[in-house]
């Protein structure tokens, strides 16, 4: 069975990642801008209507004074008052002809014009024409300027509030995501709700509680499955050992060889299942020693597979667990011999160990998903074994604080459909050895 321990993520170049605080800030700024514009228009129109109403009332008072003066003296003696003005707006003229005193507003290029008219006793029309005063225009312009400044302040203030609120929410969510990632990496003591902290309780806490509950339930289920697997494998050791002992007492012959072969295979399977259960329990600890890596690998490969070629590019002294390192190396060699083709090449370069064969390569599904127990891959590299070899190798590598990767070897520039020219497993030992607590520095 072949696989990799690191999943590959499909990234699309068109995806744009934005933070929650910026989205919230943009939303508040947009709403603030819309509200500010709407209020500015309402206030501007209300102020303009109020000023026009005051101007019309003033014009109405002046035309009444002009009417009394005209009726006493017989001539218009008030500024801007005319008799039978031909420019009088038609709607205003119609109202005056009905015997009513009225005011009217027209729009001009320089601003609104205020008209007031009243019929007099001799049947003529007395009218007053004034423009919007400069003072009123200045007041309206100042008001518009103040509204623009206020609108900008509202947008900026809303954006700042959005950044503060969104930043707090974003920090809590990032902490929750980091804690959930730690749980996914196998740290059962991490709790998302404790990680986000804070006094204010919101929907983030509900999400954290749900994630913690899910993690607890999943952990309990995995632990129960691990215990069942370990118990079954442990109970099988005694009868399998008895079966192997009884088979060795059988008379020599082909049937005896077949029984012994199957009994040994069953014993190996039971031991492997027990080892997987121990590794899943995260209770394994490395027993550290200082070794010369190149010399160690050369001696172990010679003992396991004399036909494998070993090349030490650069010797280095490392602190690791020799027994577990040997277990990883032997499983990689066995996998290469079983599923690949000779020659099998082992290269040591500093802290990096490469095991390569010249077979058909790793199955693509296993390259994408990693080692999986009881799955040996495609038919061209399968059919023998139980799929536990690389699972154990990956588990032991985690205990060592190492990283185990797998890839296929293809000619330079060859497309994916071209058959591989071999498979290579790479073990990256850490610069700093794991501690006696089993912790080790994170590898990039």
């Amino acid at each position: 069975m072949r696989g990799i321990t690191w999943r590959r993520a499909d990234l699309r170049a068109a995806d744009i990642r934005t933070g929650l605080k910026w989205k919230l800030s943009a939303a508040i700024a947009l709403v603030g801008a819309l509200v500010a514009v709407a209020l500015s228009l309402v206030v501007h129109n209300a102020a303009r209507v109020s000023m026009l109403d005051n101007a019309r009332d003033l014009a109405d008072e002046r035309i009444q004074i002009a009417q009394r003066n005209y009726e006493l003296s017989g001539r218009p003696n008030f500024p801007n008052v005319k008799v039978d003005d031909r420019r009088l707006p038609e709607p205003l003229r119609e109202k005056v002809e009905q015997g009513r005193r009225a005011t009217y507003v027209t729009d001009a290029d320089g601003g609104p014009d205020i008209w007031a008219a009243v019929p007099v006793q001799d049947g003529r029309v007395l009218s007053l024409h004034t423009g919007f005063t400069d003072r009123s225009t200045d007041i309206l312009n100042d008001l518009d300027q103040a509204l623009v400044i206020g609108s900008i302040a509202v947008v900026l203030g809303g954006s700042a509030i959005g950044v503060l609120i969104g930043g707090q929410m974003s920090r809590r969510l990032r902490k929750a995501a980091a804690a959930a990632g730690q749980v996914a990496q196998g740290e059962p003591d991490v709790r998302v709700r404790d990680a986000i902290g804070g006094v204010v309780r919101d929907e983030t806490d509900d999400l954290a509680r749900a994630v913690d509950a899910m993690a607890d339930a999943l952990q309990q289920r995995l632990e129960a499955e691990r215990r069942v697997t370990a118990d079954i494998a442990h109970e099988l050791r005694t009868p399998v050992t008895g079966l192997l002992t009884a088979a060795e007492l059988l008379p020599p012959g082909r049937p005896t060889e077949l029984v012994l072969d199957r009994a040994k295979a069953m014993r190996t399977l039971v031991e492997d299942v027990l080892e997987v259960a121990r590794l899943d329990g995260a209770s394994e600890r490395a027993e550290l020693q200082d070794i010369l890596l190149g010399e160690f690998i050369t001696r172990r490969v010679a003992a396991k597979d004399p036909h494998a070629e070993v090349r030490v590019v650069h010797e280095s002294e490392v602190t690791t667990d020799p027994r577990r390192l040997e277990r990883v190396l032997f499983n990689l060699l066995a996998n290469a011999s079983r599923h690949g083709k000779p020659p099998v090449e082992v290269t040591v370069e500093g802290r990096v160990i490469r095991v390569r064969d010249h077979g058909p390569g790793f199955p693509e599904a296993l390259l994408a998903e990693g080692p999986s127990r009881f799955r040996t891959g495609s038919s061209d590299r399968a059919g023998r074994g139980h799929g536990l070899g690389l699972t154990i190798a990956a588990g032991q590598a985690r205990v060592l604080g190492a990283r185990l990767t797998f890839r296929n070897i293809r000619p330079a520039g060859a497309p994916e459909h071209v058959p591989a020219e071999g498979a290579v497993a790479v073990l990256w030992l850490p610069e700093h050895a794991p501690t006696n607590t089993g912790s080790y520095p994170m590898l990039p």
Side-chain angles (χ1 to χ4, degrees), residues 26 54 166 213 229 242 274 279 283 303 352 409 439:
N54 291 335
T229 302
L274 277 174
L279 293 172
S283 59
V352 181
I409 303 297
S439 62

Side-chain angles (χ1 to χ4, degrees), residues 271-341:
E271 296 296 336
D272 287 347
V273 171
L274 277 174
E275 185 171 359
V276 170
R278 289 194 300 269
L279 293 172
D280 287 345
S283 59
E284 295 290 283
R285 297 293 179 263
E287 298 177 2
L288 305 178
Q289 296 181 24
D290 294 333
I291 61 172
L292 290 175
L293 187 60
E295 179 185 346
F296 177 85
I297 296 299
T298 300
R299 287 190 285 106
R300 294 301 188 273
V301 172
K304 176 66 175 177
D305 187 359
H307 301 290
E309 302 175 6
V310 181
R311 185 166 64 98
V312 179
V313 178
H314 175 66
E315 180 66 278
S316 64
E317 184 177 358
V318 298
T319 302
T320 188
D321 187 332
R323 181 181 64 84
R324 298 183 188 277
L325 179 59
E326 180 184 83
R327 179 66 162 151
V328 175
L329 177 65
F330 283 3
N331 279 16
L332 295 179
L333 289 173
N335 191 74
S337 299
R338 179 179 296 120
H339 301 294
K341 293 180 181 179

Side-chain angles (χ1 to χ4, degrees), residues 34 59 65 79 95 128 147 156 173 211 213 239 241 290 299 354 360 412:
L34 294 176
I65 296 174
K95 291 184 178 180
L128 173 66
L147 290 174
L156 294 179
L173 290 174
V211 173
T241 302
D290 294 333
R299 287 190 285 106
R354 295 179 175 87

Side-chain angles (χ1 to χ4, degrees), residues 145-437:
Q145 185 177 2
L147 290 174
V148 171
I149 295 175
S151 299
I152 295 175
V154 168
V155 173
L156 294 179
S159 300
I161 294 175
V163 170
L164 292 176
I165 298 176
Q168 183 180 5
M169 294 181 60
S170 180
R171 283 191 297 272
R172 288 166 63 85
L173 290 174
R174 282 198 298 268
K175 290 180 180 179
Q182 291 178 330
V183 173
Q185 291 175 1
E187 299 184 20
D189 296 332
V190 176
R191 288 296 175 267
V192 177
R193 195 165 184 269
D194 296 336
I196 62 177
V199 178
V200 179
R201 301 302 179 188
D202 53 19
E203 288 80 0
T204 310
D205 293 270
D206 298 336
L207 174 62
R209 281 195 293 268
V211 173
D212 289 340
M214 179 183 66
D216 290 339
L218 182 60
Q219 184 65 28
Q220 292 174 3
R221 180 174 178 179
L222 292 176
E223 182 62 23
E225 292 180 355
R226 187 192 67 81
R227 286 197 302 268
V228 169
T229 302
D231 292 343
I232 293 175
H234 188 271
E235 293 299 325
L236 284 175
R237 295 181 72 178
T238 301
V240 168
T241 302
L243 177 63
L244 184 60
T245 302
E248 292 175 348
L249 298 177
L250 293 175
R254 181 59 179 168
T256 301
E257 294 178 359
L258 293 176
V259 173
L260 280 173
D261 179 69
R262 293 298 88 193
K264 291 179 181 179
M266 184 175 294
R267 183 179 62 181
T268 301
L269 174 60
V270 171
E271 296 296 336
D272 287 347
V273 171
L274 277 174
E275 185 171 359
V276 170
R278 289 194 300 269
L279 293 172
D280 287 345
S283 59
E284 295 290 283
R285 297 293 179 263
E287 298 177 2
L288 305 178
Q289 296 181 24
D290 294 333
I291 61 172
L292 290 175
L293 187 60
E295 179 185 346
F296 177 85
I297 296 299
T298 300
R299 287 190 285 106
R300 294 301 188 273
V301 172
K304 176 66 175 177
D305 187 359
H307 301 290
E309 302 175 6
V310 181
R311 185 166 64 98
V312 179
V313 178
H314 175 66
E315 180 66 278
S316 64
E317 184 177 358
V318 298
T319 302
T320 188
D321 187 332
R323 181 181 64 84
R324 298 183 188 277
L325 179 59
E326 180 184 83
R327 179 66 162 151
V328 175
L329 177 65
F330 283 3
N331 279 16
L332 295 179
L333 289 173
N335 191 74
S337 299
R338 179 179 296 120
H339 301 294
K341 293 180 181 179
V344 176
E345 302 171 352
V346 181
T347 305
V348 181
E349 185 175 358
R351 298 176 179 273
V352 181
I353 305 169
R354 295 179 175 87
V355 178
R356 180 189 174 179
D357 62 55
H358 292 73
F362 300 113
E364 293 299 329
L366 299 181
L367 285 176
E369 299 175 9
S372 179
R373 66 195 65 177
F374 299 110
R375 186 179 64 183
T376 58
S378 57
S379 58
D380 56 348
R381 297 183 63 86
R384 299 179 299 275
H386 304 283
L388 297 177
L390 290 185
T391 302
I392 293 174
Q396 295 290 6
R398 284 194 298 270
V399 178
L400 294 176
R403 181 159 58 102
L404 186 59
T405 62
F406 303 88
R407 63 186 178 89
N408 289 334
I409 303 297
R410 285 189 172 86
E416 291 294 328
H417 66 273
V418 174
E421 295 180 347
V424 58
V426 185
L427 181 67
W428 311 73
L429 293 176
E431 182 177 357
H432 302 284
T435 65
N436 57 2
T437 62

